[in-house]
C-alpha cells in the first residue's frame, strides 16, 4: 500500500471489565456510533507450557470495537469516557484505551485480537493460530479471518447464527445464501446437517468458504458454488432450513428465489437487515407466502425467522 494521505484510519476502543459489564459497555459503544461490530473477548486461562486456551467464565472480558476515524463525531470519545466513568461506579471497568490505526495495520490488529469468540449459543469461532479446548456442548468453527466476510463478529452474523441454532434439527438439509467465509455453512455441518449447500456471487468467498469447510473436516457435507438463488442458480432442491445473511435490498430482490428453496413447513432465517428496512423486508416475504415466526434484534440489526406453510 502507498503511504498516501488518503489511507483510512481506524479508531480502536477497548475496555476491560467484569463479564456483567460487557453488555452495557458494548451498548454504550454502539450508542455512540460504534455499531459495526463489537467484540466481547472472554477471558482465557492458558496452560503454563503451551498455547492452550480455555474460556474463563469468571474472569474479566475485553470489549473492543473499531470505527472509521472519519465517522467519529467530535466529542464522542469524551462522552464515552464520561459514561464509562458512571458505569464504573457500579462495576469494575478499566480506563478506555483508544488507539488510532492505519488501514495497513487493520489486518494485523484484527489478527492480534481475534482469538476465540462466541458467535451463537453453542458456536464459537476461533482463529487457526489458537488452540482451544471446547466445553462438551460447544461447537468450534475454525476460520481464517483474513479471507472473506464473516468472522462472526458482526451482529448480523451472530443473530443469524443464533436463529439457525434455534431452528436447526439434526439431519436437516441447509442452504446458506451469501455464505461469505462459510461461517454459517460450516457451523450447520458441525451441528449435524446432512447436506449443506452454500452460494456466493464472489469467487473469493466461494474459495474461502470451501476451504473453511474443509479445514473443519466437513468438506464432504458442505458444497459451495458461485451464484445465488433465482435465475441460473446452482442449487435447485428444497431445504429444511435456508439461511441468508446479506442485506435488506438484496433479500427483497431475491425474496421469491429464497422462498422457492424452502420446503413446505421449512424455515427461512434472514439476517443483515438494518432496523429501518425491517418492514419492507417483512412485506416482501409476506408477499411470497412466508409467515413471520419471530424476530430478533441486536444493536441496529434485525433477523427474521419465517416459515413456509405446510402444504
Ligand atoms: N454468511 C456470512 C457472510 C455474510 S456477508 C455471515 O453470515 O457472516 C454477505 C455475503 O453475501 C457476501 O459474501 C456477498 O458476496 C454475498 N452476496 C451479496 N449478494 C448476493 C447475492 N445476490 N447472492 C448470493 N450472495 C450474495
Amino acid at each position: 500500500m502507498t503511504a498516501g494521505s488518503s489511507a483510512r484510519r481506524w479508531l480502536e476502543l477497548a475496555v476491560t471489565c467484569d463479564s456483567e459489564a460487557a453488555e452495557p459497555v458494548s451498548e454504550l459503544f454502539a450508542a455512540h456510533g460504534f455499531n459495526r461490530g463489537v467484540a466481547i473477548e472472554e477471558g482465557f486461562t492458558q496452560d503454563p507450557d503451551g498455547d492452550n486456551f480455555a474460556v474463563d467464565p469468571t474472569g474479566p472480558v475485553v470489549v473492543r470495537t473499531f470505527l472509521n476515524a472519519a465517522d467519529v463525531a467530535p466529542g464522542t470519545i469524551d462522552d464515552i469516557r464520561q459514561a464509562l466513568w458512571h458505569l464504573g461506579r457500579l462495576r469494575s471497568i478499566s480506563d478506555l484505551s483508544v488507539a488510532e490505526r492505519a488501514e495497513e495495520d487493520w489486518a494485523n490488529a484484527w489478527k492480534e485480537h481475534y482469538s476465540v469468540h462466541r458467535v451463537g449459543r453453542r458456536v464459537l469461532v476461533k482463529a487457526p493460530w489458537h488452540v482451544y479446548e471446547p466445553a462438551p456442548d460447544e461447537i468450534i468453527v475454525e476460520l481464517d479471518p483474513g479471507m472473506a466476510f464473516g468472522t462472526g463478529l458482526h451482529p448480523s452474523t451472530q443473530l443469524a447464527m443464533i436463529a439457525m441454532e434455534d431452528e436447526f434439527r439434526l439431519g436437516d438439509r441447509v442452504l446458506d445464501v451469501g455464505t461469505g467465509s462459510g461461517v454459517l455453512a460450516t457451523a450447520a455441518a458441525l451441528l449435524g446437517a446432512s447436506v449443506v449447500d452454500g452460494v456466493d456471487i464472489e469467487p473469493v468467498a466461494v474459495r474461502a468458504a470451501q476451504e473453511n469447510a474443509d479445514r473443519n473436516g466437513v468438506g464432504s457435507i458442505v458444497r459451495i458454488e458461485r451464484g445465488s438463488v433465482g435465475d441460473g442458480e446452482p442449487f435447485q432442491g428444497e431445504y429444511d432450513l435456508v439461511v441468508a445473511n446479506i442485506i435488506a435490498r438484496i433479500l427483497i430482490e431475491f425474496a421469491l428465489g429464497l422462498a422457492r428453496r424452502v420446503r413446505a413447513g421449512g424455515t427461512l432465517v434472514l439476517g443483515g437487515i438494518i432496523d429501518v428496512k425491517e418492514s419492507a423486508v417483512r412485506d416482501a416475504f409476506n408477499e411470497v407466502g412466508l409467515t413471520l415466526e419471530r424476530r430478533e434484534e441486536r444493536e441496529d440489526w434485525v433477523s427474521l425467522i419465517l416459515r413456509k406453510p405446510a402444504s
Side-chain angles (χ1 to χ4, degrees):
M1 178 172 289
T2 56
S5 56
S6 63
R8 275 221 274 186
R9 302 196 72 78
W10 295 89
L11 273 191
E12 175 188 331
L13 307 187
V15 156
T16 305
C17 57
D18 62 37
S19 56
E20 265 137 47
E23 190 89 35
V25 169
S26 48
E27 272 165 20
L28 175 71
F29 285 164
H32 286 83
F34 286 81
N35 55 4
R36 300 286 149 204
V38 177
I40 298 177
E41 298 163 14
E42 293 174 294
F44 293 94
T45 54
Q46 190 173 3
D47 69 22
D49 50 273
D51 205 14
N52 200 6
F53 293 86
V55 169
D56 171 8
T58 59
V61 299
V62 179
V63 183
R64 190 184 307 279
T65 187
F66 299 82
L67 196 68
N68 186 354
D71 294 339
V72 180
T76 299
I77 301 300
D78 286 343
D79 291 349
I80 292 178
R81 277 214 168 91
Q82 206 162 50
L84 283 171
W85 182 84
H86 283 289
L87 273 178
R89 315 281 296 185
L90 302 167
R91 308 242 175 244
S92 150
I93 295 178
S94 75
D95 286 344
L96 178 70
S97 103
V98 181
E100 195 171 304
R101 296 181 182 275
E103 189 159 34
E104 305 94 276
D105 295 341
W106 170 246
N108 289 329
W110 206 229
K111 261 195 154 162
E112 227 172 87
H113 299 301
Y114 172 92
S115 50
V116 185
H117 302 279
R118 185 171 297 279
V119 175
R121 299 194 194 284
R122 298 171 56 201
V123 175
L124 285 81
V125 166
K126 109 174 171 54
W129 51 89
H130 280 281
V131 177
Y132 176 77
E133 213 48 67
D137 68 333
E138 283 178 347
I139 289 184
I140 309 299
V141 177
E142 186 174 302
L143 279 191
D144 188 333
M147 297 198 298
F149 186 95
T151 53
L153 293 175
H154 195 278
S156 78
T157 304
Q158 298 174 355
L159 282 171
M161 185 70 82
I162 288 169
M164 186 178 85
E165 286 178 69
D166 287 346
E167 296 302 319
F168 180 83
R169 302 282 169 275
L170 214 59
D172 270 357
R173 294 169 48 85
V174 178
L175 177 67
D176 179 18
V177 182
T179 194
S181 62
V183 59
L184 297 170
T186 298
L190 292 170
L191 282 164
S194 58
V195 167
V196 183
D197 293 336
V199 290
D200 203 293
I201 51 173
E202 292 293 337
V204 60
V206 173
R207 265 199 311 280
Q210 193 68 60
E211 271 171 33
N212 280 324
D214 293 347
R215 88 162 66 233
N216 285 278
V218 290
S220 61
I221 294 170
V222 178
R223 290 182 299 179
I224 310 286
E225 296 285 346
R226 183 167 177 201
S228 187
V229 289
D231 288 346
E233 59 195 335
F235 298 113
Q236 291 168 358
E238 290 192 338
Y239 297 84
D240 304 299
L241 183 57
V242 177
V243 188
N245 178 28
I246 312 186
I247 55 167
R249 180 177 57 76
I250 308 266
L251 295 174
I252 292 170
E253 185 182 336
F254 288 87
L256 186 59
L258 285 163
R260 284 202 173 126
R261 299 281 66 85
V262 184
R263 72 156 166 83
T267 304
L268 174 64
V269 168
L270 299 179
I273 305 163
I274 194 86
D275 50 9
V276 294
K277 299 279 177 61
E278 178 184 354
S279 66
V281 176
R282 281 164 82 147
D283 291 349
F285 283 85
N286 193 23
E287 232 165 80
V288 296
L290 297 193
T291 323
L292 182 69
E293 187 79 11
R294 50 178 215 285
R295 66 183 287 288
E296 304 289 341
E297 61 180 25
R298 186 173 283 193
E299 298 168 27
D300 308 343
W301 299 91
V302 176
S303 67
L304 300 178
I305 295 101
L306 301 139
R307 206 81 80 200
K308 190 172 200 172
S311 52

